[in-house]
mmCIF file of all heavy atoms in Angstrom:
data_model
loop_
_atom_site.group_PDB
_atom_site.id
_atom_site.type_symbol
_atom_site.label_atom_id
_atom_site.label_comp_id
_atom_site.label_asym_id
_atom_site.label_seq_id
_atom_site.Cartn_x
_atom_site.Cartn_y
_atom_site.Cartn_z
ATOM 1 N N GLU A 54 13.442 15.826 -9.186
ATOM 2 C CA GLU A 54 14.793 16.263 -8.750
ATOM 3 C C GLU A 54 15.372 15.112 -7.808
ATOM 4 O O GLU A 54 14.693 14.472 -7.204
ATOM 5 C CB GLU A 54 14.738 17.433 -7.935
ATOM 6 C CG GLU A 54 14.274 18.758 -8.710
ATOM 7 C CD GLU A 54 14.116 20.032 -7.944
ATOM 8 O OE1 GLU A 54 14.464 19.934 -6.747
ATOM 9 O OE2 GLU A 54 13.688 20.945 -8.492
ATOM 10 N N LEU A 55 16.733 15.081 -7.821
ATOM 11 C CA LEU A 55 17.423 14.150 -7.047
ATOM 12 C C LEU A 55 17.519 14.781 -5.651
ATOM 13 O O LEU A 55 17.583 15.988 -5.374
ATOM 14 C CB LEU A 55 18.772 13.790 -7.618
ATOM 15 C CG LEU A 55 18.822 13.246 -9.015
ATOM 16 C CD1 LEU A 55 20.305 13.060 -9.469
ATOM 17 C CD2 LEU A 55 18.228 11.925 -9.058
ATOM 18 N N GLY A 56 17.698 13.821 -4.653
ATOM 19 C CA GLY A 56 17.941 14.235 -3.339
ATOM 20 C C GLY A 56 16.706 14.399 -2.501
ATOM 21 O O GLY A 56 15.635 14.031 -2.793
ATOM 22 N N VAL A 57 16.882 15.068 -1.424
ATOM 23 C CA VAL A 57 15.837 15.459 -0.586
ATOM 24 C C VAL A 57 15.819 16.951 -0.219
ATOM 25 O O VAL A 57 16.462 17.679 -0.704
ATOM 26 C CB VAL A 57 15.964 14.669 0.752
ATOM 27 C CG1 VAL A 57 15.857 13.188 0.566
ATOM 28 C CG2 VAL A 57 17.303 14.944 1.453
ATOM 29 N N THR A 58 14.906 17.349 0.701
ATOM 30 C CA THR A 58 14.816 18.781 0.946
ATOM 31 C C THR A 58 15.999 19.235 1.868
ATOM 32 O O THR A 58 16.720 18.502 2.429
ATOM 33 C CB THR A 58 13.505 19.067 1.759
ATOM 34 O OG1 THR A 58 13.620 18.245 3.026
ATOM 35 C CG2 THR A 58 12.374 18.647 0.983
ATOM 36 N N GLU A 59 16.103 20.558 1.939
ATOM 37 C CA GLU A 59 17.214 21.134 2.699
ATOM 38 C C GLU A 59 16.917 21.012 4.184
ATOM 39 O O GLU A 59 15.837 20.881 4.533
ATOM 40 C CB GLU A 59 17.172 22.679 2.389
ATOM 41 C CG GLU A 59 17.690 22.959 0.863
ATOM 42 C CD GLU A 59 19.121 22.578 0.545
ATOM 43 O OE1 GLU A 59 19.954 22.501 1.531
ATOM 44 O OE2 GLU A 59 19.423 22.289 -0.498
ATOM 45 N N PRO A 60 17.913 20.929 5.020
ATOM 46 C CA PRO A 60 19.329 21.065 4.834
ATOM 47 C C PRO A 60 20.087 19.763 4.678
ATOM 48 O O PRO A 60 21.200 19.724 4.657
ATOM 49 C CB PRO A 60 19.794 21.801 6.148
ATOM 50 C CG PRO A 60 18.803 21.121 7.091
ATOM 51 C CD PRO A 60 17.570 20.968 6.408
ATOM 52 N N LEU A 61 19.331 18.657 4.453
ATOM 53 C CA LEU A 61 19.983 17.314 4.287
ATOM 54 C C LEU A 61 20.731 17.137 3.091
ATOM 55 O O LEU A 61 21.843 16.586 3.149
ATOM 56 C CB LEU A 61 18.935 16.292 4.603
ATOM 57 C CG LEU A 61 18.143 16.314 5.904
ATOM 58 C CD1 LEU A 61 17.070 15.263 5.790
ATOM 59 C CD2 LEU A 61 19.051 16.219 7.083
ATOM 60 N N GLY A 62 20.282 17.508 1.968
ATOM 61 C CA GLY A 62 20.861 17.332 0.704
ATOM 62 C C GLY A 62 20.759 15.901 0.178
ATOM 63 O O GLY A 62 19.907 15.179 0.758
ATOM 64 N N VAL A 63 21.638 15.447 -0.637
ATOM 65 C CA VAL A 63 21.504 14.102 -1.164
ATOM 66 C C VAL A 63 22.372 13.113 -0.369
ATOM 67 O O VAL A 63 23.513 13.323 -0.093
ATOM 68 C CB VAL A 63 22.154 14.088 -2.648
ATOM 69 C CG1 VAL A 63 22.232 12.727 -3.178
ATOM 70 C CG2 VAL A 63 21.307 15.004 -3.499
ATOM 71 N N TYR A 64 21.740 12.023 0.129
ATOM 72 C CA TYR A 64 22.406 10.992 0.948
ATOM 73 C C TYR A 64 22.582 9.801 -0.081
ATOM 74 O O TYR A 64 21.731 9.072 -0.375
ATOM 75 C CB TYR A 64 21.527 10.579 2.019
ATOM 76 C CG TYR A 64 22.176 9.542 2.862
ATOM 77 C CD1 TYR A 64 23.275 9.773 3.651
ATOM 78 C CD2 TYR A 64 21.677 8.260 2.883
ATOM 79 C CE1 TYR A 64 23.840 8.752 4.555
ATOM 80 C CE2 TYR A 64 22.276 7.169 3.657
ATOM 81 C CZ TYR A 64 23.392 7.464 4.401
ATOM 82 O OH TYR A 64 23.891 6.502 5.147
ATOM 83 N N ASP A 65 23.817 9.598 -0.505
ATOM 84 C CA ASP A 65 24.216 8.617 -1.424
ATOM 85 C C ASP A 65 25.597 8.050 -1.075
ATOM 86 O O ASP A 65 26.578 8.345 -1.610
ATOM 87 C CB ASP A 65 24.168 9.062 -2.784
ATOM 88 C CG ASP A 65 24.559 8.001 -3.841
ATOM 89 O OD1 ASP A 65 24.344 6.858 -3.539
ATOM 90 O OD2 ASP A 65 24.985 8.320 -4.886
ATOM 91 N N PRO A 66 25.592 7.310 0.042
ATOM 92 C CA PRO A 66 26.957 6.826 0.594
ATOM 93 C C PRO A 66 27.755 5.974 -0.364
ATOM 94 O O PRO A 66 28.944 5.880 -0.314
ATOM 95 C CB PRO A 66 26.612 6.156 1.920
ATOM 96 C CG PRO A 66 25.306 5.748 1.777
ATOM 97 C CD PRO A 66 24.632 6.729 0.885
ATOM 98 N N LEU A 67 27.015 5.176 -1.221
ATOM 99 C CA LEU A 67 27.673 4.252 -2.111
ATOM 100 C C LEU A 67 28.002 4.804 -3.514
ATOM 101 O O LEU A 67 28.629 4.147 -4.309
ATOM 102 C CB LEU A 67 26.746 2.906 -2.344
ATOM 103 C CG LEU A 67 26.490 2.180 -1.021
ATOM 104 C CD1 LEU A 67 25.604 0.991 -1.363
ATOM 105 C CD2 LEU A 67 27.833 1.628 -0.429
ATOM 106 N N GLY A 68 27.626 6.089 -3.727
ATOM 107 C CA GLY A 68 27.875 6.727 -4.915
ATOM 108 C C GLY A 68 27.102 6.205 -6.173
ATOM 109 O O GLY A 68 27.540 6.328 -7.269
ATOM 110 N N TRP A 69 25.968 5.625 -5.974
ATOM 111 C CA TRP A 69 25.204 5.150 -7.165
ATOM 112 C C TRP A 69 24.554 6.109 -8.015
ATOM 113 O O TRP A 69 24.317 5.925 -9.171
ATOM 114 C CB TRP A 69 24.016 4.164 -6.549
ATOM 115 C CG TRP A 69 24.604 2.808 -6.140
ATOM 116 C CD1 TRP A 69 25.833 2.337 -6.191
ATOM 117 C CD2 TRP A 69 23.848 1.840 -5.508
ATOM 118 N NE1 TRP A 69 25.917 1.169 -5.694
ATOM 119 C CE2 TRP A 69 24.672 0.760 -5.149
ATOM 120 C CE3 TRP A 69 22.528 1.779 -5.000
ATOM 121 C CZ2 TRP A 69 24.380 -0.388 -4.543
ATOM 122 C CZ3 TRP A 69 22.114 0.589 -4.357
ATOM 123 C CH2 TRP A 69 22.999 -0.386 -4.095
ATOM 124 N N LEU A 70 24.250 7.212 -7.419
ATOM 125 C CA LEU A 70 23.760 8.288 -8.290
ATOM 126 C C LEU A 70 24.615 8.802 -9.405
ATOM 127 O O LEU A 70 24.214 9.154 -10.424
ATOM 128 C CB LEU A 70 23.194 9.541 -7.427
ATOM 129 C CG LEU A 70 22.000 9.353 -6.691
ATOM 130 C CD1 LEU A 70 21.627 10.554 -5.748
ATOM 131 C CD2 LEU A 70 20.801 9.121 -7.565
ATOM 132 N N GLU A 71 25.920 8.773 -9.032
ATOM 133 C CA GLU A 71 26.916 9.283 -10.196
ATOM 134 C C GLU A 71 27.393 8.164 -11.007
ATOM 135 O O GLU A 71 27.689 8.334 -12.207
ATOM 136 C CB GLU A 71 28.094 9.824 -9.369
ATOM 137 C CG GLU A 71 27.667 11.095 -8.625
ATOM 138 C CD GLU A 71 28.859 11.943 -8.134
ATOM 139 O OE1 GLU A 71 29.934 11.618 -8.460
ATOM 140 O OE2 GLU A 71 28.502 12.851 -7.326
ATOM 141 N N SER A 72 27.397 6.847 -10.403
ATOM 142 C CA SER A 72 27.847 5.807 -11.349
ATOM 143 C C SER A 72 26.713 5.124 -12.113
ATOM 144 O O SER A 72 26.943 4.708 -13.230
ATOM 145 C CB SER A 72 28.474 4.740 -10.469
ATOM 146 O OG SER A 72 27.399 4.077 -9.567
ATOM 147 N N GLU A 73 25.459 5.149 -11.648
ATOM 148 C CA GLU A 73 24.253 4.659 -12.325
ATOM 149 C C GLU A 73 23.115 5.515 -12.237
ATOM 150 O O GLU A 73 22.121 5.263 -11.649
ATOM 151 C CB GLU A 73 23.979 3.259 -11.757
ATOM 152 C CG GLU A 73 24.977 2.185 -11.829
ATOM 153 C CD GLU A 73 24.544 1.005 -11.210
ATOM 154 O OE1 GLU A 73 23.359 0.765 -11.054
ATOM 155 O OE2 GLU A 73 25.485 0.203 -10.796
ATOM 156 N N PRO A 74 23.108 6.763 -12.900
ATOM 157 C CA PRO A 74 21.913 7.714 -12.679
ATOM 158 C C PRO A 74 20.721 7.266 -13.356
ATOM 159 O O PRO A 74 19.580 7.589 -13.040
ATOM 160 C CB PRO A 74 22.498 8.950 -13.372
ATOM 161 C CG PRO A 74 23.542 8.496 -14.322
ATOM 162 C CD PRO A 74 24.199 7.213 -13.671
ATOM 163 N N GLU A 75 20.817 6.321 -14.380
ATOM 164 C CA GLU A 75 19.644 5.908 -15.125
ATOM 165 C C GLU A 75 18.875 4.842 -14.258
ATOM 166 O O GLU A 75 17.634 4.710 -14.446
ATOM 167 C CB GLU A 75 19.950 5.118 -16.492
ATOM 168 C CG GLU A 75 20.809 3.935 -16.368
ATOM 169 C CD GLU A 75 22.293 4.195 -16.062
ATOM 170 O OE1 GLU A 75 22.755 5.272 -16.203
ATOM 171 O OE2 GLU A 75 23.056 3.185 -15.745
ATOM 172 N N ALA A 76 19.487 4.337 -13.266
ATOM 173 C CA ALA A 76 18.778 3.406 -12.426
ATOM 174 C C ALA A 76 18.079 3.974 -11.132
ATOM 175 O O ALA A 76 17.350 3.369 -10.393
ATOM 176 C CB ALA A 76 19.795 2.358 -11.915
ATOM 177 N N PHE A 77 18.270 5.259 -11.057
ATOM 178 C CA PHE A 77 17.627 6.051 -9.847
ATOM 179 C C PHE A 77 16.113 6.013 -9.841
ATOM 180 O O PHE A 77 15.502 5.629 -8.838
ATOM 181 C CB PHE A 77 18.059 7.466 -9.946
ATOM 182 C CG PHE A 77 17.466 8.333 -8.789
ATOM 183 C CD1 PHE A 77 17.944 8.074 -7.546
ATOM 184 C CD2 PHE A 77 16.456 9.250 -9.001
ATOM 185 C CE1 PHE A 77 17.388 8.818 -6.416
ATOM 186 C CE2 PHE A 77 15.975 9.888 -8.001
ATOM 187 C CZ PHE A 77 16.380 9.770 -6.774
ATOM 188 N N GLU A 78 15.484 6.215 -10.961
ATOM 189 C CA GLU A 78 13.969 6.165 -11.117
ATOM 190 C C GLU A 78 13.526 4.733 -10.746
ATOM 191 O O GLU A 78 12.427 4.547 -10.063
ATOM 192 C CB GLU A 78 13.513 6.610 -12.465
ATOM 193 C CG GLU A 78 13.584 8.076 -12.654
ATOM 194 C CD GLU A 78 12.797 8.896 -11.562
ATOM 195 O OE1 GLU A 78 11.683 8.514 -11.287
ATOM 196 O OE2 GLU A 78 13.434 9.911 -11.074
ATOM 197 N N ARG A 79 14.134 3.692 -11.283
ATOM 198 C CA ARG A 79 13.803 2.373 -11.011
ATOM 199 C C ARG A 79 13.874 2.023 -9.518
ATOM 200 O O ARG A 79 12.997 1.462 -8.840
ATOM 201 C CB ARG A 79 14.579 1.342 -11.830
ATOM 202 C CG ARG A 79 14.434 -0.037 -11.211
ATOM 203 C CD ARG A 79 14.355 -1.071 -12.289
ATOM 204 N NE ARG A 79 14.398 -2.451 -11.866
ATOM 205 C CZ ARG A 79 13.316 -2.984 -11.284
ATOM 206 N NH1 ARG A 79 12.272 -2.461 -11.041
ATOM 207 N NH2 ARG A 79 13.490 -4.301 -10.893
ATOM 208 N N ARG A 80 14.926 2.469 -8.818
ATOM 209 C CA ARG A 80 15.164 2.309 -7.362
ATOM 210 C C ARG A 80 14.010 2.986 -6.569
ATOM 211 O O ARG A 80 13.551 2.481 -5.635
ATOM 212 C CB ARG A 80 16.500 2.723 -6.979
ATOM 213 C CG ARG A 80 17.564 1.809 -7.353
ATOM 214 C CD ARG A 80 18.914 2.074 -6.667
ATOM 215 N NE ARG A 80 19.958 1.201 -7.318
ATOM 216 C CZ ARG A 80 20.807 1.572 -8.092
ATOM 217 N NH1 ARG A 80 20.902 2.910 -8.497
ATOM 218 N NH2 ARG A 80 21.707 0.763 -8.434
ATOM 219 N N ARG A 81 13.694 4.181 -7.090
ATOM 220 C CA ARG A 81 12.639 4.887 -6.439
ATOM 221 C C ARG A 81 11.305 4.213 -6.587
ATOM 222 O O ARG A 81 10.556 4.106 -5.589
ATOM 223 C CB ARG A 81 12.543 6.300 -6.983
ATOM 224 C CG ARG A 81 11.477 7.248 -6.342
ATOM 225 C CD ARG A 81 11.521 8.458 -6.992
ATOM 226 N NE ARG A 81 12.526 9.414 -6.299
ATOM 227 C CZ ARG A 81 12.646 10.674 -6.629
ATOM 228 N NH1 ARG A 81 12.018 11.204 -7.616
ATOM 229 N NH2 ARG A 81 13.598 11.338 -5.964
ATOM 230 N N ALA A 82 10.967 3.659 -7.659
ATOM 231 C CA ALA A 82 9.686 3.004 -7.859
ATOM 232 C C ALA A 82 9.745 1.688 -7.069
ATOM 233 O O ALA A 82 8.733 1.264 -6.536
ATOM 234 C CB ALA A 82 9.581 2.641 -9.408
ATOM 235 N N VAL A 83 10.738 0.942 -7.064
ATOM 236 C CA VAL A 83 10.910 -0.257 -6.249
ATOM 237 C C VAL A 83 10.772 0.043 -4.845
ATOM 238 O O VAL A 83 10.048 -0.778 -4.101
ATOM 239 C CB VAL A 83 12.245 -0.955 -6.560
ATOM 240 C CG1 VAL A 83 12.463 -2.176 -5.593
ATOM 241 C CG2 VAL A 83 12.252 -1.547 -7.976
ATOM 242 N N GLU A 84 11.289 1.131 -4.254
ATOM 243 C CA GLU A 84 11.194 1.438 -2.861
ATOM 244 C C GLU A 84 9.562 1.830 -2.565
ATOM 245 O O GLU A 84 9.185 1.364 -1.494
ATOM 246 C CB GLU A 84 12.007 2.668 -2.608
ATOM 247 C CG GLU A 84 12.075 3.135 -1.202
ATOM 248 C CD GLU A 84 12.834 4.364 -0.783
ATOM 249 O OE1 GLU A 84 13.544 4.844 -1.777
ATOM 250 O OE2 GLU A 84 12.837 4.693 0.306
ATOM 251 N N ARG A 85 8.930 2.457 -3.471
ATOM 252 C CA ARG A 85 7.507 2.585 -3.286
ATOM 253 C C ARG A 85 6.767 1.353 -3.262
ATOM 254 O O ARG A 85 5.903 1.151 -2.347
ATOM 255 C CB ARG A 85 7.000 3.469 -4.385
ATOM 256 C CG ARG A 85 6.961 4.931 -4.069
ATOM 257 C CD ARG A 85 6.191 5.720 -5.151
ATOM 258 N NE ARG A 85 7.202 6.645 -5.834
ATOM 259 C CZ ARG A 85 7.528 6.783 -7.008
ATOM 260 N NH1 ARG A 85 6.989 5.993 -7.965
ATOM 261 N NH2 ARG A 85 8.274 7.644 -7.348
ATOM 262 N N LYS A 86 7.084 0.430 -4.077
ATOM 263 C CA LYS A 86 6.468 -0.897 -4.180
ATOM 264 C C LYS A 86 6.664 -1.542 -2.786
ATOM 265 O O LYS A 86 5.727 -2.192 -2.241
ATOM 266 C CB LYS A 86 6.896 -1.663 -5.360
ATOM 267 C CG LYS A 86 6.248 -3.123 -5.397
ATOM 268 C CD LYS A 86 6.805 -3.926 -6.507
ATOM 269 C CE LYS A 86 6.193 -5.367 -6.496
ATOM 270 N NZ LYS A 86 6.788 -6.180 -7.501
ATOM 271 N N HIS A 87 7.948 -1.671 -2.391
ATOM 272 C CA HIS A 87 8.127 -2.305 -1.157
ATOM 273 C C HIS A 87 7.509 -1.726 0.135
ATOM 274 O O HIS A 87 7.049 -2.440 1.018
ATOM 275 C CB HIS A 87 9.692 -2.422 -0.938
ATOM 276 C CG HIS A 87 10.464 -3.238 -1.850
ATOM 277 N ND1 HIS A 87 11.755 -3.171 -2.096
ATOM 278 C CD2 HIS A 87 9.942 -4.246 -2.704
ATOM 279 C CE1 HIS A 87 12.165 -4.029 -2.943
ATOM 280 N NE2 HIS A 87 11.076 -4.776 -3.252
ATOM 281 N N GLY A 88 7.321 -0.414 0.061
ATOM 282 C CA GLY A 88 6.708 0.297 1.174
ATOM 283 C C GLY A 88 5.067 -0.117 1.147
ATOM 284 O O GLY A 88 4.521 -0.298 2.230
ATOM 285 N N ARG A 89 4.509 -0.210 -0.009
ATOM 286 C CA ARG A 89 3.110 -0.569 -0.120
ATOM 287 C C ARG A 89 2.900 -2.057 0.340
ATOM 288 O O ARG A 89 1.955 -2.391 0.965
ATOM 289 C CB ARG A 89 2.583 -0.332 -1.652
ATOM 290 C CG ARG A 89 2.572 1.153 -1.846
ATOM 291 C CD ARG A 89 2.297 1.416 -3.373
ATOM 292 N NE ARG A 89 2.230 2.803 -3.600
ATOM 293 C CZ ARG A 89 2.388 3.365 -4.704
ATOM 294 N NH1 ARG A 89 2.621 2.576 -5.821
ATOM 295 N NH2 ARG A 89 2.369 4.670 -4.906
ATOM 296 N N VAL A 90 3.764 -2.897 -0.087
ATOM 297 C CA VAL A 90 3.729 -4.279 0.406
ATOM 298 C C VAL A 90 3.916 -4.428 1.858
ATOM 299 O O VAL A 90 3.127 -5.197 2.570
ATOM 300 C CB VAL A 90 4.785 -5.189 -0.324
ATOM 301 C CG1 VAL A 90 4.799 -6.571 0.297
ATOM 302 C CG2 VAL A 90 4.382 -5.347 -1.860
ATOM 303 N N ALA A 91 4.778 -3.629 2.512
ATOM 304 C CA ALA A 91 4.951 -3.610 3.892
ATOM 305 C C ALA A 91 3.721 -3.062 4.674
ATOM 306 O O ALA A 91 3.339 -3.717 5.662
ATOM 307 C CB ALA A 91 6.244 -2.830 4.300
#
Side-chain angles (χ1 to χ4, degrees):
E54 295 177 7
L55 300 177
V57 295
T58 57
E59 294 294 333
L61 299 175
V63 176
Y64 179 71
D65 185 22
L67 300 177
W69 284 351
L70 284 176
E71 297 189 11
S72 63
E73 301 176 21
E75 64 281 350
F77 178 73
E78 287 300 319
R79 167 139 172 75
R80 287 193 184 103
R81 182 179 275 179
V83 168
E84 183 178 0
R85 267 189 239 123
K86 178 183 177 184
H87 290 162
R89 291 173 183 157
V90 169

